[in-house]
Amino acid sequence: MPPISSLLFLVLAGLALGSAGIVAFSRNIIHSALALLGTFLGVAGMYVTLSADFLGATQVLVYVGGTLTLILFAVMLTARIEDMKVSNPSQGLGPGIGLVAVVLLLLGKVATTTAWAINVRPTNPSTAKLGHAFLSSYLLPFEVGSVVLLAAMVGAVVLARRAVKREWEKE
Amino acid sequence: MEIGLVHYLSVAAVLFGLGLLTVMTRKNSVGILLGVELILNAAALNFIAFEHFVANDVAGQVFTVFIIVLAAAEAAIALAIVLTVYRNYRSIMADRLTTLRN
């Protein structure tokens, strides 16, 4: 009987990678988008097992609550329901898989042969430390990040709105 | 079996590979965007794994927060562009957007 933490890791990794497989290979864009939910949840669980509890919660809130909903809206607004079955076609799977296999071999070799300076610590909550870091050493990047978000939202609205001209603007 | 750094790195690598495959082979623009999200998640998972197993500060988590923030901004902008493309071309298949080819 393996320890519970190993089992948990295997379950989370299976959830994340299985869903990622559906994202990569499903022919229906709705299935792909919904499978992304499993990947996000699996990765969020792995964050918690790596003592990044705040990030696990943020991952669920921002990705599942925000990004995924946005993607589903875009799918509904741009695809016709009758050709939904083959709404996500692929092209060039053979060369793609070959290239990805080469990349994976390279990454695997680097990950297994490098002598990482392993310095394991017990799994502890780290939200307080993260908050202190954001309000002291990382204050400027934090504020710049909020400005980036604001600019992105304004840009998205400008791009997506219909250009309706009122009577007095046409002259 | 003790779960170590290499296990998390392998999961992130496979996640990255699937994301790369999605970006390379999909024709639907929203499908390509899903691949980009997979790649960003793989990178963030690597940051957190290295922060837990190698470094002993919170810099890895700070980077991941910024990855999540920029991914949200990127998704909003990209989907606005997709909507605009659909309004102009009646399609979001990437192989039909060939106006600039000739």
Side-chain angles (χ1 to χ4, degrees), chain A residues 45-52 121 123, chain B residues 8 45 48-49 51-53:
Chain A
M46 274 191 261
Y47 285 168
V48 175
T49 64
L50 289 170
S51 72
R121 44 179 189 168
T123 304
Chain B
Y8 284 98
L45 186 60
I48 298 291
E51 190 243 10
H52 183 78
F53 285 107

Side-chain angles (χ1 to χ4, degrees), chain B residues 51-83:
Chain B
E51 190 243 10
H52 183 78
F53 285 107
V54 178
N56 263 328
D57 54 359
V58 290
Q61 292 192 37
V62 171
F63 264 100
T64 304
V65 168
F66 285 121
I67 288 178
I68 292 178
V69 165
L70 291 181
E74 169 253 306
I77 298 282
L79 293 173
I81 292 175
V82 165
L83 284 187

Side-chain angles (χ1 to χ4, degrees), chain A residues 6 26 59 90-91 119 126 160, chain B residues 1 25-26 41 53 56 87:
Chain A
S6 304
S26 170
Q59 169 96 355
S90 296
Q91 195 178 36
N119 180 10
S126 58
Chain B
M1 180 179 68
T25 58
R26 286 303 194 201
N41 260 281
F53 285 107
N56 263 328
R87 201 175 294 145

Side-chain angles (χ1 to χ4, degrees), chain A residues 30-107:
Chain A
I30 295 274
H31 293 175
S32 280
L34 285 179
L36 204 59
L37 172 72
T39 304
F40 287 157
L41 289 181
V43 172
M46 274 191 261
Y47 285 168
V48 175
T49 64
L50 289 170
S51 72
D53 45 344
F54 175 75
L55 277 172
T58 311
Q59 169 96 355
V60 173
L61 281 177
V62 174
Y63 270 118
V64 179
T67 307
L68 203 57
T69 317
L70 216 59
I71 288 175
L72 281 176
F73 262 109
V75 170
M76 310 276 180
L77 285 174
T78 54
R80 283 186 296 276
I81 225 70
E82 59 263 27
D83 43 47
M84 197 51 97
K85 286 231 167 7
V86 283
S87 51
N88 201 7
S90 296
Q91 195 178 36
L93 261 182
I97 289 179
L99 190 59
V100 166
V102 171
V103 169
L104 281 186
L105 280 180
L106 184 69
L107 286 179

